[in-house]
Amino acid sequence: MSGNIQLLSDTLERARSENRAALIAYLPAGFPTVDGGIDAVKAVVAGGADVVEVGLPHSDPVLDGPVIQTADDIALRGGVKIADVMRTVREAHEATGAPVLVMTYWNPIDRYGVERFTAELAEAGGAGCILPDLPVQESALWREHAEKHGLATVFVVAPSSKDERLATITAAGSGFVYAASLMGVTGTRESVGAQAQDLVRRTRATTALPVCVGLGVSNAVQAKEVAAFADGVIVGSAFVQRMLDAPDAAAGLEAVRALAGELARGVRRGGDGAGAA
């Protein structure tokens, strides 16, 4: 069975044709429970997210800040397994029709087996993977299997990436390019900053792939700012924080659905960005 890289590409193209950025939401699998995580993905899509990244909880994160680490710890203590991540992808995609990617560090895939992981992700209806710590020069095996199974390989670029390095990374990637807005870990910030706009400009000079910006976006005003120059706006910690702050599961689902709605209005260029949280 082939994965859904084409659905991902079509979804990003549809947003572009509507003169807006795509809203990409991140949520960890298994948080607060496996079923609760699936419900949360459904809620953000119902609120207006175009694409969802499902995080594979990992005990040794590199990119994740304290909010997502807290959620990952809850998921890991709850016993989440890769099978639960695949189930989350399958049920979320079947329920929403949205493209669903997995964001994961390399070690869990390496231990699980590249062929097994890519085959199961494609069978679950996944659209691809975001691999923040897999060096491009060591990615040939992954890319071979991902391409065979119709999965996108999304690499992360940073403000520190030189132009030559950007060209190497974007040539190897597919689906879209994840542009980290700043040097640091995930988490909400007061502002996204000019670094992100410069990185998008330099990245676009090397590729026709959509360039989507993550790290630091937490409200509709910031989403509108980023949507003015990026093809997609990626939001993770703000969704997780809403669930952590909620008094119960039902309130958490309503909170992330509402935030997705606010952000979805923000990414529509020319909108007023009202309802920022």
Side-chain angles (χ1 to χ4, degrees):
M1 180 175 177
S2 183
N4 272 314
I5 185 173
Q6 190 61 51
L7 174 63
L8 174 64
S9 297
D10 291 347
T11 300
L12 294 170
E13 173 58 28
R14 184 175 70 247
R16 191 196 66 80
S17 71
E18 294 171 357
N19 192 35
R20 65 179 180 87
L23 174 60
I24 303 174
Y26 167 94
L27 289 163
F31 169 71
T33 63
V34 176
D35 288 340
I38 293 168
D39 288 341
V41 174
K42 295 176 185 176
V44 296
V45 176
D50 299 289
V51 178
V52 180
E53 301 173 8
V54 170
L56 195 161
H58 188 46
S59 57
D60 188 25
V62 176
L63 188 67
D64 299 311
V67 172
I68 290 174
Q69 286 186 38
T70 298
D72 278 2
D73 184 57
I74 291 169
L76 290 167
R77 284 190 282 112
V80 69
K81 300 287 191 293
I82 287 180
D84 299 312
V85 177
M86 298 298 179
R87 181 185 151 214
T88 300
V89 171
R90 175 182 290 104
E91 295 191 15
H93 172 64
E94 288 178 350
T96 65
V100 182
L101 301 105
V102 169
M103 186 163 188
T104 179
Y105 297 102
W106 180 245
N107 183 258
I109 294 177
D110 190 42
R111 291 177 62 87
Y112 198 72
V114 176
E115 169 60 24
R116 181 184 177 195
F117 190 94
T118 51
E120 290 184 8
L121 182 56
E123 192 275 329
C129 264
I130 300 162
L131 302 160
D133 67 341
L134 176 63
V136 170
Q137 62 269 27
E138 298 175 19
S139 67
L141 177 66
W142 164 267
R143 287 187 285 124
E144 175 190 341
H145 287 287
E147 186 174 351
K148 180 173 78 172
H149 289 290
L151 299 169
T153 298
V154 178
F155 289 113
V156 179
V157 297
S160 60
S161 302
K162 304 299 185 188
D163 291 351
E164 183 179 0
R165 178 68 176 164
L166 287 176
T168 300
I169 293 171
T170 58
S174 57
F176 65 90
V177 182
Y178 187 125
S181 66
L182 42 77
M183 300 300 293
V185 296
T186 59
T188 61
R189 303 294 199 282
E190 290 300 316
S191 64
V192 178
Q195 276 188 320
Q197 187 166 0
D198 180 63
L199 177 58
V200 170
R201 178 190 60 76
R202 293 194 297 118
T203 303
R204 279 190 175 144
T206 72
T207 183
L209 289 172
V211 182
C212 304
V213 171
L215 274 66
V217 179
S218 62
N219 59 50
V221 171
Q222 291 173 330
K224 181 180 179 182
E225 176 191 352
V226 173
F229 59 81
D231 299 297
V233 178
I234 304 168
V235 180
S237 295
F239 284 116
V240 175
Q241 189 67 61
R242 290 285 182 103
M243 293 179 69
L244 288 169
D245 291 344
D248 55 51
L253 294 177
E254 177 52 33
V256 295
R257 188 203 63 75
L259 178 59
E262 294 164 10
L263 294 165
R265 289 190 290 276
V267 300
R268 281 160 172 78
R269 305 181 182 103
D272 60 8

